């Protein structure tokens, strides 16, 4: 992990005696796609508004590349590209003309850079068409292209998958990951749908009622370590439970010749070996994988909108 590009330190937001965000602390390093996940009303947009200086922070601080968004706003915001509300685009101009228009307002943006961002978001084929002919996903890519023109170190997107179809979400994932890899940008993206976050993020933070309840890795090694219920179909369930108990392991009788254990893949293999050695016939093994979605619902479930 690199240096954190954005650091939230005990960020708290209170409005009218209500605590909307409660001591939120997290770091995002460069090159990471970071998911900010929570049900409706959890405080995602509120946090993002504080990150881009659209809302004051009650207590705590947000550092962007080491600069406080409260005390060193100019220095901090220089490193940020964001789409919080719908970006303004001129519909009767082409995507390219829109980008050139924005590029003129930022010192030092070359036409080479404009072509570069167009390629990054994969809009080469349509960039000279008028924006009014763009699909929602294409408009969004154009918004991202505009947000990254000045080479920000941090790109913040509030619910970018809203309104996109599965193909659009897949494409968004691909170019966000490209951007993180090729430009070393940290991408901070909010969503209320875990299934989408799983596809595009390296790590996901889960917030509920303004509180951080979990941060976990998605990509890479962690995936295989997902805890599953592993169900063994055996000839003698009682003996199978004894074999487990003799090795200090817990099993649960599921009836109908089924015995369940909880663990990862390696554990399934280990239990299978114990059964075979213990003379238990194993007719079948089934992993009942608890998806991150299930875990998310378990963690946030039942409380409704905060
Ligand atoms: N300006 C405000 N004044 C008072 N309360 C606010 C204000 N802005 C947001 N809230 C409250 O803060 C809580 C968090 O809202 P926020 O918009 O940050 O949620 P969210 O996670 O973005 O939800 P969604 O998924 O629906 O976009 C909500 O209860 C909301 O009503
Ligand atoms: Mg929101």
């Amino acid at each position: 992990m690199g240096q954190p590009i954005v650091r939230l330190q005990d960020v708290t937001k209170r409005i009218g005696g209500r605590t909307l965000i409660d001591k939120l602390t997290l770091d995002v390093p460069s090159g990471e796609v970071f998911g900010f996940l929570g049900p409706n009303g959890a405080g995602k947009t509120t946090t993002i508004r504080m990150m881009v200086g659209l809302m004051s922070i009650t207590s705590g601080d947000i550092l962007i590349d080491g600069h406080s968004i409260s005390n060193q706003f100019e220095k901090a915001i220089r490193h940020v590209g964001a789409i919080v509300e719908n970006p303004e685009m001129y519909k009767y101009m082409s995507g390219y003309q829109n980008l050139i228009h924005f590029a003129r307002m930022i010192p030092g943006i070359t036409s080479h850079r404009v072509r570069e961002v167009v390629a990054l978001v994969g809009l080469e084929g349509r960039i000279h068409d008028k924006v009014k002919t763009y699909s929602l996903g294409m408009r969004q890519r154009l918004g991202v292209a505009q947000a990254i023109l000045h080479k920000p170190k941090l790109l913040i997107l509030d619910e970018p998958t809203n309104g996109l179809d599965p193909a659009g979400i897949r494409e968004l994932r691909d170019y966000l990951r490209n951007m993180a890899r090729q430009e070393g940008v940290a991408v901070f993206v909010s969503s209320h749908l875990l299934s989408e976050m799983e596809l595009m993020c390296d790590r996901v933070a889960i917030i509920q009622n303004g509180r951080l309840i979990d941060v976990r890795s998605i990509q890479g090694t962690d995936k295989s370590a997902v805890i599953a219920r592993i169900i063994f179909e055996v000839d003698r369930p009682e003996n199978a439970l004894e074999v487990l108990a003799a090795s200090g392991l817990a099993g649960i009788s599921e009836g109908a010749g089924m015995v369940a254990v909880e663990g990862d893949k390696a554990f399934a293999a280990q239990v299978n070996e114990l059964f075979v050695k213990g003379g238990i016939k194993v007719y079948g093994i089934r992993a009942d994988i608890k998806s991150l979605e299930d875990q998310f619902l378990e963690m946030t479930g039942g409380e409704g909108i905060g």
Side-chain angles (χ1 to χ4, degrees):
M1 238 191 228
Q3 277 286 98
I5 289 304
V6 62
R7 162 163 284 178
L8 277 69
Q9 281 174 338
D10 285 329
V11 173
T12 298
K13 180 70 188 178
R14 274 190 287 272
I15 296 182
R18 240 190 102 200
T19 303
L20 305 185
I21 301 296
D22 194 9
K23 294 206 164 111
L24 194 59
T25 295
L26 48 91
D27 278 352
V28 182
S30 56
E32 181 171 79
V33 182
F34 187 86
F36 196 50
L37 184 72
N40 293 135
K44 304 179 295 291
T45 301
T46 303
T47 303
I48 286 175
R49 289 174 67 83
M50 289 190 282
M51 289 171 79
V52 298
L54 285 171
M55 196 184 243
S56 66
I57 303 169
T58 307
S59 66
D61 204 356
I62 296 172
L63 302 179
I64 296 163
D65 205 27
H67 303 290
S68 159
I69 197 83
S70 320
N71 307 323
Q72 303 165 280
F73 179 74
E74 302 275 314
K75 279 190 176 153
I77 204 70
R78 191 193 298 159
H79 305 292
V80 180
I83 305 185
V84 183
E85 272 101 41
N86 277 342
E88 272 305 306
M89 292 293 171
Y90 297 98
K91 286 190 185 156
Y92 290 91
M93 286 180 6
S94 70
Y96 189 76
Q97 286 167 325
N98 267 281
L99 289 178
I100 291 290
H101 172 76
F102 288 109
R104 284 203 191 103
M105 297 191 268
I106 314 163
I109 304 293
T110 59
S111 57
H112 171 75
R113 176 62 183 161
V114 175
R115 282 193 299 275
E116 201 171 61
V117 299
V118 169
L120 267 174
V121 300
L123 261 186
E124 296 103 318
R126 298 290 304 273
I127 198 67
H128 293 292
D129 294 350
K130 286 188 175 150
V131 170
K132 66 170 181 162
T133 69
Y134 284 10
S135 70
L136 186 66
M138 289 160 67
R139 276 173 212 214
Q140 191 179 52
R141 285 167 195 236
L142 187 61
V144 170
Q146 184 209 314
I148 62 169
L149 269 175
H150 65 299
K151 290 205 176 206
K153 292 183 178 176
L154 171 67
L155 175 66
I156 302 173
L157 304 170
D158 193 11
E159 307 246 8
T161 55
N162 268 358
L164 294 188
D165 62 13
I169 292 166
R170 190 155 296 247
E171 286 162 8
L172 176 75
R173 168 195 69 180
D174 289 344
Y175 71 76
L176 289 184
R177 298 203 65 82
N178 256 342
M179 210 141 33
R181 215 173 29 242
Q182 290 176 24
E183 304 234 314
V185 181
V187 183
F188 189 97
V189 41
S190 78
S191 173
H192 58 275
L193 289 175
L194 181 86
S195 49
E196 296 174 352
M197 294 288 90
E198 273 185 302
L199 292 176
M200 66 177 83
C201 299
D202 300 304
R203 280 192 307 152
V204 167
I206 298 173
I207 65 157
Q208 187 187 24
N209 294 330
R211 284 204 193 94
L212 187 67
I213 57 175
D214 195 33
V215 180
R216 57 178 59 197
S217 295
I218 304 260
Q219 310 286 340
T221 49
D222 278 26
K223 213 155 210 168
S224 59
V226 160
I227 300 290
R229 256 169 93 73
I230 305 148
I231 298 154
F232 289 83
E233 187 185 349
V234 295
D235 59 344
R236 289 171 292 136
E238 286 75 26
N239 294 17
L241 289 175
E242 281 166 22
V243 166
L244 286 175
S247 297
L249 302 171
I252 303 154
S253 169
E254 295 276 294
M258 306 286 182
V259 169
V261 294
E262 282 210 345
D264 58 12
K265 271 189 198 173
F267 185 61
Q270 191 194 332
V271 169
N272 185 49
E273 204 178 316
L274 280 177
F275 284 166
V276 173
K277 280 189 181 151
I280 310 285
K281 283 201 165 62
V282 176
Y283 299 127
I285 304 174
R286 180 163 59 85
D288 197 2
I289 293 176
K290 216 186 259 179
S291 72
L292 209 48
E293 186 88 53
D294 295 334
Q295 294 176 39
F296 171 56
L297 288 174
E298 268 174 30
M299 276 187 271
T300 63
E303 286 212 31
I305 292 174

